[in-house]
Amino acid sequence: MNIPFPKGLREKWAAEAGPTTRMLIGGEWVDADDGARFACTDPFTGQEWGSVPQATETDVDRAVQAAHQAFEAGVWRHMPAASRAAALRKLGDLIEARAEEIARTEVRENGKLFSEMYYGALAFASDARFFGALAETVHGYTIDRPLPGFSAWTRREPIGVIAAITPWNTPLNLLGWKLFPALATGNSVVIKPSEVTPISTLMVGELIAEAGIPSGVVNIVTGAGAVGQALVSHPLVDKICFTGSGATGAKIAAIAAQRHARVSLELGGKSPNIVFDDADIDAVLAGIASGLFSTAGQACNAGSRILVQQGIYDAFLDRLATLARNVRWGDPLDPGSQMGPLSSTAQLAKVTSYFDCARDEGLRVIAGGNRPDHGGFFVEPTVYADVAMDSRLMLEEIFGPVAVVISFQDEAEAIRIANDTRFGLAAGVWTRDLARAHRMIEAVRAGTVWVNTYRVGAHTIPFGGFKASGIGRETGIDALDAYTEVKSVWVNIS
Ligand code: ADP
Protein backbone atom coordinates (compact mmCIF):
# COMPACT_ATOMS: atom_id res chain seq x y z
CA MET A 1 0.00 0.00 0.00
CA ASN A 2 1.21 3.49 -0.83
CA ILE A 3 1.06 5.32 2.49
CA PRO A 4 1.06 9.13 2.25
CA PHE A 5 3.37 10.30 5.02
CA PRO A 6 2.72 13.89 5.94
CA LYS A 7 5.84 16.05 5.88
CA GLY A 8 6.23 19.19 7.98
CA LEU A 9 3.04 18.46 9.87
CA ARG A 10 4.51 18.88 13.34
CA GLU A 11 5.66 22.41 12.44
CA LYS A 12 2.22 23.24 11.04
CA TRP A 13 0.51 21.89 14.15
CA ALA A 14 2.83 23.85 16.43
CA ALA A 15 1.97 27.09 14.57
CA GLU A 16 -1.81 26.78 14.71
CA ALA A 17 -4.44 26.55 17.45
CA GLY A 18 -5.98 23.09 17.82
CA PRO A 19 -9.63 22.50 17.02
CA THR A 20 -12.31 23.38 19.56
CA THR A 21 -14.95 20.86 18.65
CA ARG A 22 -18.52 20.42 19.85
CA MET A 23 -20.72 17.40 20.53
CA LEU A 24 -23.37 16.02 18.17
CA ILE A 25 -26.80 15.78 19.79
CA GLY A 26 -30.06 15.49 17.84
CA GLY A 27 -28.36 16.69 14.65
CA GLU A 28 -27.02 19.88 16.31
CA TRP A 29 -23.41 20.70 17.23
CA VAL A 30 -23.53 21.76 20.87
CA ASP A 31 -21.32 22.75 23.80
CA ALA A 32 -21.72 21.17 27.22
CA ASP A 33 -24.72 22.33 29.20
CA ASP A 34 -22.44 24.23 31.62
CA GLY A 35 -19.87 25.20 28.96
CA ALA A 36 -17.07 23.09 30.50
CA ARG A 37 -14.37 21.71 28.21
CA PHE A 38 -11.26 19.57 28.51
CA ALA A 39 -8.07 19.45 26.44
CA CYS A 40 -6.46 16.60 24.51
CA THR A 41 -2.74 15.90 24.94
CA ASP A 42 -0.37 14.83 22.16
CA PRO A 43 1.53 11.83 23.60
CA PHE A 44 4.59 12.53 21.44
CA THR A 45 5.12 16.12 22.59
CA GLY A 46 3.26 15.95 25.90
CA GLN A 47 1.59 19.23 24.82
CA GLU A 48 -2.11 20.00 25.03
CA TRP A 49 -3.82 20.79 21.75
CA GLY A 50 -7.58 20.78 20.81
CA SER A 51 -10.38 20.73 23.34
CA VAL A 52 -13.83 19.14 23.51
CA PRO A 53 -16.91 19.66 25.70
CA GLN A 54 -17.10 17.97 29.08
CA ALA A 55 -20.63 16.54 28.89
CA THR A 56 -22.93 16.77 31.91
CA GLU A 57 -25.70 14.34 32.89
CA THR A 58 -28.12 16.76 31.22
CA ASP A 59 -26.18 16.44 27.95
CA VAL A 60 -26.19 12.66 28.20
CA ASP A 61 -29.93 12.72 28.81
CA ARG A 62 -30.47 14.98 25.80
CA ALA A 63 -28.41 12.67 23.60
CA VAL A 64 -30.28 9.56 24.72
CA GLN A 65 -33.64 11.31 24.34
CA ALA A 66 -32.67 12.38 20.82
CA ALA A 67 -31.69 8.81 19.94
CA HIS A 68 -34.89 7.48 21.48
CA GLN A 69 -37.07 9.97 19.62
CA ALA A 70 -35.31 9.18 16.33
CA PHE A 71 -35.95 5.49 16.96
CA GLU A 72 -39.61 6.05 17.84
CA ALA A 73 -40.12 8.29 14.81
CA GLY A 74 -38.87 5.34 12.77
CA VAL A 75 -37.45 7.32 9.85
CA TRP A 76 -34.23 5.30 9.86
CA ARG A 77 -35.45 1.89 10.93
CA HIS A 78 -38.44 1.92 8.55
CA MET A 79 -36.34 3.19 5.67
CA PRO A 80 -35.96 0.49 2.99
CA ALA A 81 -32.85 -1.55 3.77
CA ALA A 82 -31.46 -0.54 0.36
CA SER A 83 -31.55 3.12 1.43
CA ARG A 84 -29.80 2.40 4.74
CA ALA A 85 -27.25 0.42 2.75
CA ALA A 86 -26.71 3.35 0.39
CA ALA A 87 -26.18 5.72 3.33
CA LEU A 88 -23.60 3.40 4.89
CA ARG A 89 -21.80 3.01 1.58
CA LYS A 90 -21.73 6.78 1.21
CA LEU A 91 -20.45 7.12 4.76
CA GLY A 92 -17.67 4.67 3.86
CA ASP A 93 -16.76 6.75 0.81
CA LEU A 94 -16.74 9.98 2.84
CA ILE A 95 -14.49 8.37 5.45
CA GLU A 96 -12.14 7.10 2.77
CA ALA A 97 -11.89 10.57 1.23
CA ARG A 98 -10.74 11.92 4.62
CA ALA A 99 -8.74 8.84 5.68
CA GLU A 100 -5.41 10.64 5.81
CA GLU A 101 -6.75 13.52 7.92
CA ILE A 102 -8.62 11.12 10.20
CA ALA A 103 -5.49 9.00 10.67
CA ARG A 104 -3.36 12.04 11.52
CA THR A 105 -5.88 13.11 14.11
CA GLU A 106 -5.83 9.65 15.67
CA VAL A 107 -2.02 9.74 15.77
CA ARG A 108 -2.12 13.12 17.48
CA GLU A 109 -4.57 11.72 20.01
CA ASN A 110 -3.07 8.34 20.83
CA GLY A 111 0.48 8.42 19.48
CA LYS A 112 0.23 5.19 17.50
CA LEU A 113 2.08 4.78 14.21
CA PHE A 114 0.62 6.70 11.27
CA SER A 115 0.89 3.60 9.07
CA GLU A 116 -1.31 1.65 11.48
CA MET A 117 -3.85 4.44 11.87
CA TYR A 118 -3.99 5.14 8.13
CA TYR A 119 -4.49 1.47 7.30
CA GLY A 120 -7.10 1.44 10.09
CA ALA A 121 -8.92 4.47 8.63
CA LEU A 122 -9.20 2.71 5.26
CA ALA A 123 -10.43 -0.44 7.01
CA PHE A 124 -12.94 1.72 8.91
CA ALA A 125 -14.27 2.96 5.55
CA SER A 126 -14.55 -0.53 4.13
CA ASP A 127 -16.26 -1.74 7.33
CA ALA A 128 -18.98 0.87 6.72
CA ARG A 129 -19.48 -0.45 3.19
CA PHE A 130 -19.43 -4.07 4.37
CA PHE A 131 -22.20 -3.46 6.91
CA GLY A 132 -24.03 -1.41 4.28
CA ALA A 133 -24.08 -4.52 2.10
CA LEU A 134 -25.23 -6.64 5.04
CA ALA A 135 -28.12 -4.23 5.76
CA GLU A 136 -29.95 -5.78 2.84
CA THR A 137 -29.46 -9.32 4.10
CA VAL A 138 -31.21 -8.97 7.47
CA HIS A 139 -34.20 -11.29 7.45
CA GLY A 140 -36.24 -13.77 9.47
CA TYR A 141 -37.54 -17.12 8.26
CA THR A 142 -40.86 -18.90 7.93
CA ILE A 143 -41.94 -22.07 9.71
CA ASP A 144 -44.62 -23.74 7.65
CA ARG A 145 -47.51 -24.82 9.92
CA PRO A 146 -45.65 -25.41 13.19
CA LEU A 147 -49.06 -26.55 14.54
CA PRO A 148 -52.22 -27.44 12.59
CA GLY A 149 -54.05 -24.24 11.65
CA PHE A 150 -51.17 -21.88 12.27
CA SER A 151 -48.58 -20.17 10.16
CA ALA A 152 -45.47 -18.68 11.78
CA TRP A 153 -42.40 -16.71 10.93
CA THR A 154 -39.63 -14.71 12.57
CA ARG A 155 -38.58 -11.11 12.12
CA ARG A 156 -35.30 -9.48 13.01
CA GLU A 157 -35.93 -6.05 14.50
CA PRO A 158 -33.56 -3.37 15.79
CA ILE A 159 -33.06 -3.26 19.55
CA GLY A 160 -33.50 0.51 20.05
CA VAL A 161 -30.96 2.90 21.54
CA ILE A 162 -27.40 1.55 21.52
CA ALA A 163 -24.70 3.09 23.74
CA ALA A 164 -21.31 2.61 22.05
CA ILE A 165 -18.44 3.18 24.48
CA THR A 166 -15.00 3.03 22.92
CA PRO A 167 -11.38 3.03 24.11
CA TRP A 168 -8.40 5.09 22.94
CA ASN A 169 -6.12 2.44 21.46
CA THR A 170 -7.92 1.94 18.14
CA PRO A 171 -10.68 4.51 18.46
CA LEU A 172 -12.37 4.38 15.09
CA ASN A 173 -12.07 0.73 14.11
CA LEU A 174 -13.55 -0.27 17.43
CA LEU A 175 -16.28 2.34 16.91
CA GLY A 176 -17.03 1.03 13.43
CA TRP A 177 -17.50 -2.50 14.75
CA LYS A 178 -20.38 -1.11 16.85
CA LEU A 179 -21.75 1.83 14.87
CA PHE A 180 -22.04 0.20 11.43
CA PRO A 181 -23.89 -3.01 12.39
CA ALA A 182 -26.11 -0.94 14.72
CA LEU A 183 -27.01 1.38 11.84
CA ALA A 184 -27.31 -1.42 9.29
CA THR A 185 -30.05 -2.98 11.42
CA GLY A 186 -31.96 0.27 12.08
CA ASN A 187 -30.92 1.21 15.62
CA SER A 188 -30.14 4.67 17.03
CA VAL A 189 -26.75 5.21 18.65
CA VAL A 190 -25.16 7.38 21.33
CA ILE A 191 -21.36 7.24 21.12
CA LYS A 192 -19.07 8.02 24.05
CA PRO A 193 -15.47 7.96 22.79
CA SER A 194 -12.54 7.73 25.17
CA GLU A 195 -11.58 11.03 26.80
CA VAL A 196 -8.08 10.42 25.33
CA THR A 197 -9.31 10.27 21.70
CA PRO A 198 -12.60 12.18 21.26
CA ILE A 199 -11.69 14.40 18.29
CA SER A 200 -11.36 11.69 15.64
CA THR A 201 -14.81 10.39 16.56
CA LEU A 202 -16.28 13.91 16.32
CA MET A 203 -14.74 14.14 12.82
CA VAL A 204 -16.76 11.08 11.85
CA GLY A 205 -19.83 12.79 13.31
CA GLU A 206 -19.33 15.55 10.72
CA LEU A 207 -19.96 13.00 7.94
CA ILE A 208 -23.17 11.52 9.32
CA ALA A 209 -25.64 14.06 7.91
CA GLU A 210 -23.85 14.20 4.55
CA ALA A 211 -24.18 10.43 4.26
CA GLY A 212 -27.97 10.82 4.56
CA ILE A 213 -28.40 9.46 8.07
CA PRO A 214 -31.28 11.36 9.73
CA SER A 215 -30.81 13.70 12.73
CA GLY A 216 -30.77 12.02 16.12
CA VAL A 217 -29.86 8.57 14.78
CA VAL A 218 -26.19 9.13 15.67
CA ASN A 219 -25.22 11.25 18.69
CA ILE A 220 -21.82 11.81 20.28
CA VAL A 221 -21.14 12.91 23.86
CA THR A 222 -17.61 13.51 25.15
CA GLY A 223 -16.11 13.10 28.59
CA ALA A 224 -14.53 10.49 30.84
CA GLY A 225 -15.85 7.59 32.91
CA ALA A 226 -18.59 9.59 34.66
CA VAL A 227 -20.14 10.43 31.28
CA GLY A 228 -19.94 6.77 30.28
CA GLN A 229 -21.55 5.77 33.54
CA ALA A 230 -24.41 8.27 33.08
CA LEU A 231 -24.99 6.85 29.60
CA VAL A 232 -24.93 3.23 30.74
CA SER A 233 -27.33 4.07 33.60
CA HIS A 234 -29.88 5.84 31.39
CA PRO A 235 -33.18 3.91 31.40
CA LEU A 236 -33.76 4.54 27.68
CA VAL A 237 -30.51 2.84 26.64
CA ASP A 238 -31.47 -0.63 25.43
CA LYS A 239 -28.03 -2.06 24.75
CA ILE A 240 -24.46 -1.19 25.67
CA CYS A 241 -21.57 -2.15 23.41
CA PHE A 242 -18.26 -1.59 25.12
CA THR A 243 -14.59 -2.11 24.42
CA GLY A 244 -12.19 -1.37 27.27
CA SER A 245 -10.80 -2.69 30.51
CA GLY A 246 -12.19 -5.68 32.38
CA ALA A 247 -12.86 -3.60 35.49
CA THR A 248 -14.99 -1.06 33.61
CA GLY A 249 -16.70 -3.85 31.68
CA ALA A 250 -17.73 -5.50 34.94
CA LYS A 251 -19.14 -2.21 36.28
CA ILE A 252 -21.11 -1.68 33.08
CA ALA A 253 -22.49 -5.23 33.08
CA ALA A 254 -23.61 -4.85 36.72
CA ILE A 255 -25.49 -1.62 35.95
CA ALA A 256 -27.04 -3.09 32.80
CA ALA A 257 -28.15 -6.21 34.65
CA GLN A 258 -30.31 -4.15 37.01
CA ARG A 259 -32.66 -3.16 34.20
CA HIS A 260 -31.93 -6.17 31.96
CA ALA A 261 -30.29 -4.05 29.27
CA ARG A 262 -28.28 -6.04 26.78
CA VAL A 263 -24.47 -5.88 26.75
CA SER A 264 -21.65 -6.83 24.43
CA LEU A 265 -18.20 -6.54 25.97
CA GLU A 266 -14.76 -6.74 24.36
CA LEU A 267 -12.26 -6.67 27.20
CA GLY A 268 -8.60 -7.29 27.69
CA GLY A 269 -6.25 -10.15 26.99
CA LYS A 270 -2.91 -11.67 27.86
CA SER A 271 -2.57 -13.60 24.68
CA PRO A 272 -0.02 -16.40 24.34
CA ASN A 273 2.38 -16.64 21.43
CA ILE A 274 3.33 -20.34 21.48
CA VAL A 275 6.62 -21.08 19.73
CA PHE A 276 7.45 -24.73 19.01
CA ASP A 277 10.99 -25.81 18.24
CA ASP A 278 10.19 -26.39 14.54
CA ALA A 279 8.86 -22.83 14.05
CA ASP A 280 10.16 -20.36 11.48
CA ILE A 281 11.84 -18.02 13.98
CA ASP A 282 12.10 -15.10 11.53
CA ALA A 283 8.34 -15.27 11.09
CA VAL A 284 7.81 -15.47 14.87
CA LEU A 285 9.92 -12.36 15.44
CA ALA A 286 8.06 -10.50 12.70
CA GLY A 287 4.80 -11.53 14.42
CA ILE A 288 6.05 -10.23 17.77
CA ALA A 289 7.25 -6.98 16.17
CA SER A 290 3.89 -6.33 14.53
CA GLY A 291 1.70 -7.98 17.17
CA LEU A 292 3.28 -6.38 20.24
CA PHE A 293 5.95 -3.72 19.72
CA SER A 294 4.48 -1.81 16.75
CA THR A 295 1.47 -0.77 18.84
CA ALA A 296 3.64 -0.22 21.94
CA GLY A 297 1.61 -3.13 23.31
CA GLN A 298 -1.55 -1.04 23.23
CA ALA A 299 -3.73 -3.62 21.54
CA CYS A 300 -6.16 -5.89 23.37
CA ASN A 301 -4.90 -8.80 21.27
CA ALA A 302 -1.19 -8.08 21.84
CA GLY A 303 0.78 -11.33 21.92
CA SER A 304 2.55 -10.46 25.15
CA ARG A 305 2.93 -13.92 26.76
CA ILE A 306 5.59 -15.79 24.85
CA LEU A 307 5.85 -19.54 25.40
CA VAL A 308 8.97 -21.10 23.90
CA GLN A 309 9.86 -24.78 23.64
CA GLN A 310 12.85 -25.77 25.79
CA GLY A 311 15.22 -26.85 22.98
CA ILE A 312 15.26 -23.41 21.31
CA TYR A 313 14.69 -21.30 24.44
CA ASP A 314 18.14 -19.72 24.93
CA ALA A 315 18.74 -19.05 21.25
CA PHE A 316 15.26 -17.58 20.91
CA LEU A 317 15.79 -15.26 23.91
CA ASP A 318 18.93 -13.87 22.27
CA ARG A 319 17.08 -13.07 19.09
CA LEU A 320 14.07 -11.62 20.91
CA ALA A 321 16.29 -9.37 23.04
CA THR A 322 18.05 -8.14 19.88
CA LEU A 323 14.69 -7.47 18.22
CA ALA A 324 13.46 -5.48 21.23
CA ARG A 325 16.66 -3.45 21.56
CA ASN A 326 16.60 -2.58 17.86
CA VAL A 327 12.99 -1.36 17.66
CA ARG A 328 13.24 2.21 16.34
CA TRP A 329 10.90 4.16 18.60
CA GLY A 330 10.14 7.79 17.79
CA ASP A 331 7.68 10.20 16.22
CA PRO A 332 4.66 8.11 15.14
CA LEU A 333 4.27 10.36 12.08
CA ASP A 334 7.77 9.45 10.90
CA PRO A 335 7.76 6.56 8.40
CA GLY A 336 11.01 5.33 9.93
CA SER A 337 9.50 4.80 13.38
CA GLN A 338 8.61 1.27 14.41
CA MET A 339 6.95 2.22 17.71
CA GLY A 340 5.35 5.38 19.08
CA PRO A 341 4.83 6.57 22.65
CA LEU A 342 2.22 5.35 25.10
CA SER A 343 -1.04 7.21 24.76
CA SER A 344 -1.41 9.07 28.04
CA THR A 345 0.27 9.89 31.33
CA ALA A 346 -2.07 7.40 32.99
CA GLN A 347 -0.83 4.66 30.68
CA LEU A 348 2.77 5.71 31.22
CA ALA A 349 2.30 5.48 34.99
CA LYS A 350 0.69 2.06 34.63
CA VAL A 351 3.40 0.55 32.43
CA THR A 352 6.28 1.97 34.47
CA SER A 353 4.64 0.58 37.63
CA TYR A 354 5.11 -2.88 36.07
CA PHE A 355 8.81 -2.09 35.58
CA ASP A 356 8.97 -1.38 39.34
CA CYS A 357 7.04 -4.56 40.05
CA ALA A 358 9.48 -6.57 37.89
CA ARG A 359 12.40 -5.13 39.89
CA ASP A 360 10.64 -6.01 43.17
CA GLU A 361 9.98 -9.54 41.92
CA GLY A 362 13.61 -9.85 40.77
CA LEU A 363 12.66 -10.73 37.19
CA ARG A 364 15.40 -11.27 34.63
CA VAL A 365 15.21 -8.37 32.17
CA ILE A 366 16.89 -9.08 28.83
CA ALA A 367 15.82 -5.87 27.03
CA GLY A 368 14.43 -2.49 28.08
CA GLY A 369 12.73 -2.04 31.42
CA ASN A 370 13.11 1.74 31.57
CA ARG A 371 11.64 5.03 30.46
CA PRO A 372 14.01 6.74 28.01
CA ASP A 373 14.95 10.39 28.38
CA HIS A 374 12.31 11.98 26.12
CA GLY A 375 9.50 14.52 26.66
CA GLY A 376 6.93 12.16 25.14
CA PHE A 377 5.30 9.22 26.88
CA PHE A 378 7.84 6.61 25.73
CA VAL A 379 8.94 3.39 27.38
CA GLU A 380 11.54 0.97 26.05
CA PRO A 381 10.48 -2.23 24.29
CA THR A 382 10.97 -4.68 27.12
CA VAL A 383 11.44 -8.44 27.53
CA TYR A 384 11.48 -10.41 30.79
CA ALA A 385 12.68 -14.03 30.70
CA ASP A 386 11.94 -17.07 32.91
CA VAL A 387 8.82 -15.39 34.27
CA ALA A 388 6.94 -17.51 36.81
CA MET A 389 3.25 -18.30 36.32
CA ASP A 390 2.33 -16.42 39.49
CA SER A 391 4.22 -13.23 38.60
CA ARG A 392 1.94 -10.22 38.25
CA LEU A 393 3.58 -9.57 34.89
CA MET A 394 2.46 -13.01 33.71
CA LEU A 395 -1.07 -12.68 35.08
CA GLU A 396 -2.07 -9.10 34.26
CA GLU A 397 -2.62 -7.17 31.07
CA ILE A 398 0.07 -4.46 30.95
CA PHE A 399 -0.96 -2.72 27.70
CA GLY A 400 2.62 -1.69 27.03
CA PRO A 401 5.50 -3.01 24.86
CA VAL A 402 6.37 -5.64 27.43
CA ALA A 403 6.86 -9.34 26.68
CA VAL A 404 7.08 -12.04 29.34
CA VAL A 405 8.74 -15.29 28.28
CA ILE A 406 8.43 -18.77 29.76
CA SER A 407 9.66 -22.15 28.49
CA PHE A 408 7.71 -25.39 28.02
CA GLN A 409 8.73 -29.00 27.46
CA ASP A 410 6.02 -30.42 25.22
CA GLU A 411 2.64 -29.77 23.65
CA ALA A 412 0.69 -30.74 26.78
CA GLU A 413 2.61 -28.26 28.89
CA ALA A 414 2.21 -25.54 26.24
CA ILE A 415 -1.56 -26.02 26.32
CA ARG A 416 -1.64 -25.98 30.10
CA ILE A 417 0.35 -22.72 30.31
CA ALA A 418 -1.54 -21.08 27.42
CA ASN A 419 -4.89 -21.75 29.08
CA ASP A 420 -3.78 -20.96 32.63
CA THR A 421 -5.13 -17.40 32.46
CA ARG A 422 -8.42 -15.73 33.15
CA PHE A 423 -8.30 -14.21 29.64
CA GLY A 424 -9.15 -15.82 26.31
CA LEU A 425 -8.97 -13.22 23.57
CA ALA A 426 -6.39 -14.55 21.11
CA ALA A 427 -3.41 -16.85 20.68
CA GLY A 428 -0.60 -17.39 18.20
CA VAL A 429 0.70 -20.88 17.40
CA TRP A 430 4.03 -21.17 15.59
CA THR A 431 4.90 -24.60 14.17
CA ARG A 432 5.54 -26.31 10.84
CA ASP A 433 3.72 -29.45 12.04
CA LEU A 434 0.25 -29.32 10.50
CA ALA A 435 -1.31 -31.93 12.77
CA ARG A 436 0.05 -30.21 15.87
CA ALA A 437 -1.30 -26.87 14.63
CA HIS A 438 -4.77 -28.40 14.34
CA ARG A 439 -4.56 -29.92 17.82
CA MET A 440 -3.52 -26.55 19.24
CA ILE A 441 -6.36 -24.72 17.45
CA GLU A 442 -8.80 -27.00 19.28
CA ALA A 443 -7.03 -26.96 22.63
CA VAL A 444 -6.41 -23.24 23.14
CA ARG A 445 -9.35 -21.45 24.72
CA ALA A 446 -9.40 -18.12 22.89
CA GLY A 447 -11.69 -16.22 20.51
CA THR A 448 -9.06 -16.06 17.77
CA VAL A 449 -6.20 -18.48 17.04
CA TRP A 450 -3.57 -17.40 14.53
CA VAL A 451 -1.27 -20.08 13.10
CA ASN A 452 2.12 -18.91 11.80
CA THR A 453 0.87 -15.33 11.74
CA TYR A 454 -0.34 -12.80 14.28
CA ARG A 455 -2.88 -9.98 14.52
CA VAL A 456 -4.31 -10.15 11.02
CA GLY A 457 -7.97 -9.26 10.78
CA ALA A 458 -10.73 -8.61 8.27
CA HIS A 459 -14.28 -7.33 8.61
CA THR A 460 -15.65 -10.70 7.51
CA ILE A 461 -14.06 -12.47 10.49
CA PRO A 462 -15.70 -12.29 13.96
CA PHE A 463 -13.61 -10.97 16.85
CA GLY A 464 -14.17 -11.35 20.59
CA GLY A 465 -13.16 -13.24 23.67
CA PHE A 466 -13.60 -16.40 25.70
CA LYS A 467 -13.64 -16.16 29.52
CA ALA A 468 -12.81 -12.74 31.03
CA SER A 469 -11.98 -11.34 27.59
CA GLY A 470 -15.59 -10.52 26.87
CA ILE A 471 -19.14 -11.38 25.93
CA GLY A 472 -20.24 -11.57 22.30
CA ARG A 473 -18.53 -11.12 18.94
CA GLU A 474 -17.97 -8.09 16.75
CA THR A 475 -17.58 -7.83 12.95
CA GLY A 476 -18.50 -10.55 10.48
CA ILE A 477 -22.10 -11.44 9.72
CA ASP A 478 -22.53 -12.62 13.34
CA ALA A 479 -22.41 -8.97 14.42
CA LEU A 480 -25.91 -8.40 13.04
CA ASP A 481 -27.32 -10.73 15.72
CA ALA A 482 -25.87 -8.47 18.41
CA TYR A 483 -27.99 -5.54 17.19
CA THR A 484 -31.32 -7.27 16.53
CA GLU A 485 -34.10 -8.86 18.54
CA VAL A 486 -35.91 -11.89 17.14
CA LYS A 487 -39.68 -11.57 17.04
CA SER A 488 -41.74 -14.72 16.49
CA VAL A 489 -45.09 -14.25 14.73
CA TRP A 490 -48.04 -16.68 14.92
CA VAL A 491 -51.07 -16.35 12.67
CA ASN A 492 -54.24 -18.40 13.08
CA ILE A 493 -55.15 -19.47 9.55
CA SER A 494 -57.87 -21.96 10.42
P1 ADP B 1 -8.69 2.36 29.97
O1 ADP B 1 -8.38 2.28 31.44
O2 ADP B 1 -7.82 1.50 29.17
O3 ADP B 1 -8.84 3.75 29.45
P2 ADP B 1 -11.47 2.02 30.39
O4 ADP B 1 -12.24 0.75 30.45
O5 ADP B 1 -11.39 2.82 31.65
O6 ADP B 1 -10.08 1.65 29.80
O7 ADP B 1 -12.06 2.98 29.28
C1 ADP B 1 -12.73 2.55 28.12
C2 ADP B 1 -13.92 3.45 27.89
O8 ADP B 1 -14.82 3.31 28.99
C3 ADP B 1 -13.58 4.94 27.82
O9 ADP B 1 -14.43 5.57 26.86
C4 ADP B 1 -13.91 5.42 29.23
O10 ADP B 1 -14.20 6.80 29.32
C5 ADP B 1 -15.13 4.59 29.52
N1 ADP B 1 -15.44 4.41 30.96
C6 ADP B 1 -14.57 4.45 32.00
N2 ADP B 1 -15.23 4.20 33.16
C7 ADP B 1 -16.54 4.01 32.85
C8 ADP B 1 -17.73 3.70 33.60
N3 ADP B 1 -17.71 3.54 34.92
N4 ADP B 1 -18.89 3.53 32.92
C9 ADP B 1 -18.93 3.66 31.57
N5 ADP B 1 -17.85 3.96 30.81
C10 ADP B 1 -16.67 4.14 31.42
Side-chain angles (χ1 to χ4, degrees):
M1 187 196 307
N2 187 15
I3 297 174
F5 281 104
K7 294 248 183 295
L9 192 59
R10 290 257 171 235
E11 294 72 19
K12 183 168 168 284
W13 280 348
E16 66 190 20
T20 48
T21 44
R22 294 172 156 188
M23 301 185 287
L24 180 61
I25 298 181
E28 306 284 322
W29 289 95
V30 298
D31 287 312
D33 178 49
D34 61 3
R37 306 184 69 81
F38 65 96
C40 298
T41 303
D42 182 330
F44 176 68
T45 61
Q47 304 295 313
E48 291 190 348
W49 57 295
S51 73
V52 298
Q54 171 64 57
T56 63
E57 276 193 33
T58 306
D59 297 318
V60 171
D61 179 55
R62 280 167 48 213
V64 176
Q65 295 285 356
H68 178 70
Q69 279 160 22
F71 188 77
E72 291 294 304
V75 178
W76 179 247
R77 71 184 157 118
H78 294 319
M79 199 180 261
S83 305
R84 284 203 307 275
L88 278 164
R89 280 198 298 272
K90 179 149 188 211
L91 182 58
D93 292 345
L94 292 170
I95 291 167
E96 188 165 302
R98 291 184 72 181
E100 195 179 331
E101 190 190 347
I102 286 171
R104 286 178 198 168
T105 304
E106 285 187 288
V107 172
R108 203 173 181 188
E109 290 185 309
N110 73 6
K112 287 177 99 175
L113 296 179
F114 179 77
S115 52
E116 166 140 346
M117 292 293 107
Y118 181 65
Y119 176 80
L122 295 178
F124 181 55
S126 64
D127 288 359
R129 292 189 284 253
F130 172 69
F131 281 106
L134 286 185
E136 294 190 78
T137 70
V138 178
H139 62 271
Y141 52 90
T142 56
I143 304 101
D144 194 27
R145 300 205 180 210
L147 291 173
F150 291 94
S151 173
W153 66 90
T154 66
R155 294 168 48 80
R156 280 214 169 259
E157 299 186 358
I159 296 174
V161 175
I162 308 292
I165 300 181
T166 53
W168 45 261
N169 63 323
T170 314
L172 294 185
N173 297 98
L174 296 173
L175 170 64
W177 290 4
K178 299 165 182 55
L179 178 65
F180 304 143
L183 292 178
T185 46
N187 296 278
S188 294
V189 185
V190 180
I191 302 163
K192 206 297 284 173
S194 166
E195 58 276 26
V196 180
T197 53
I199 296 178
S200 49
T201 297
L202 292 168
M203 282 176 75
V204 176
E206 289 167 14
L207 310 176
I208 294 292
E210 199 181 339
I213 298 167
S215 293
V217 172
V218 178
N219 306 273
I220 306 171
V221 290
T222 49
V227 178
Q229 183 150 340
L231 179 57
V232 167
S233 308
H234 199 293
L236 291 177
V237 169
D238 299 291
K239 169 147 193 179
I240 301 133
C241 296
F242 169 80
T243 302
S245 63
T248 304
K251 276 189 215 163
I252 287 174
I255 292 171
Q258 286 168 31
R259 62 173 197 284
H260 309 291
R262 282 107 183 89
V263 284
S264 296
L265 305 174
E266 201 265 273
L267 308 173
K270 188 80 182 178
S271 299
N273 248 316
I274 308 162
V275 187
F276 287 95
D277 57 11
D278 64 342
D280 173 348
I281 300 304
D282 290 336
V284 178
L285 294 171
I288 293 171
S290 68
L292 178 66
F293 295 135
S294 74
T295 60
Q298 300 173 122
C300 52
N301 52 16
S304 56
R305 242 174 1 122
I306 303 177
L307 285 54
V308 184
Q309 198 158 16
Q310 191 65 60
I312 58 166
Y313 186 69
D314 290 332
F316 183 84
L317 284 184
D318 284 347
R319 294 209 49 196
L320 181 58
T322 305
L323 171 80
R325 286 191 213 108
N326 289 334
V327 169
R328 284 192 306 276
W329 54 266
D331 187 341
L333 289 174
D334 182 342
S337 297
Q338 294 172 326
M339 189 183 97
L342 298 175
S343 295
S344 64
T345 46
Q347 201 53 29
L348 183 63
K350 182 178 169 195
V351 175
T352 52
S353 80
Y354 281 100
F355 293 160
D356 296 338
C357 176
R359 277 187 273 275
D360 292 347
E361 287 187 10
L363 293 189
R364 175 156 83 103
V365 59
I366 59 168
N370 293 296
R371 186 181 173 192
D373 186 18
H374 187 284
F377 307 154
F378 285 94
V379 291
E380 292 171 345
T382 298
V383 181
Y384 296 105
D386 319 333
V387 182
M389 288 303 289
D390 61 354
S391 163
R392 274 189 56 207
L393 281 85
M394 182 61 82
L395 296 169
E396 298 173 15
E397 184 182 40
I398 298 173
F399 232 64
V402 182
V404 290
V405 193
I406 185 170
S407 68
F408 65 87
Q409 293 289 343
D410 55 17
E411 196 175 310
E413 190 179 20
I415 294 167
R416 187 179 58 71
I417 296 172
N419 288 338
D420 189 4
T421 168
R422 60 200 180 90
F423 297 111
L425 192 58
V429 176
W430 302 89
T431 179
R432 289 185 168 99
D433 180 335
L434 186 62
R436 174 156 66 193
H438 279 269
R439 290 193 298 274
M440 293 299 291
I441 291 166
E442 259 188 61
V444 174
R445 296 190 39 77
T448 296
V449 179
W450 287 291
V451 178
N452 296 332
T453 186
Y454 203 87
R455 210 168 160 254
V456 286
H459 52 223
T460 44
I461 308 294
F463 185 79
F466 282 31
K467 303 197 280 184
S469 288
I471 298 173
R473 293 292 179 272
E474 297 192 294
T475 78
I477 52 174
D478 299 344
L480 297 178
D481 294 349
Y483 293 91
T484 48
E485 296 277 18
V486 175
K487 180 180 279 177
S488 300
V489 184
W490 289 83
V491 178
N492 183 344
I493 56 170
S494 64

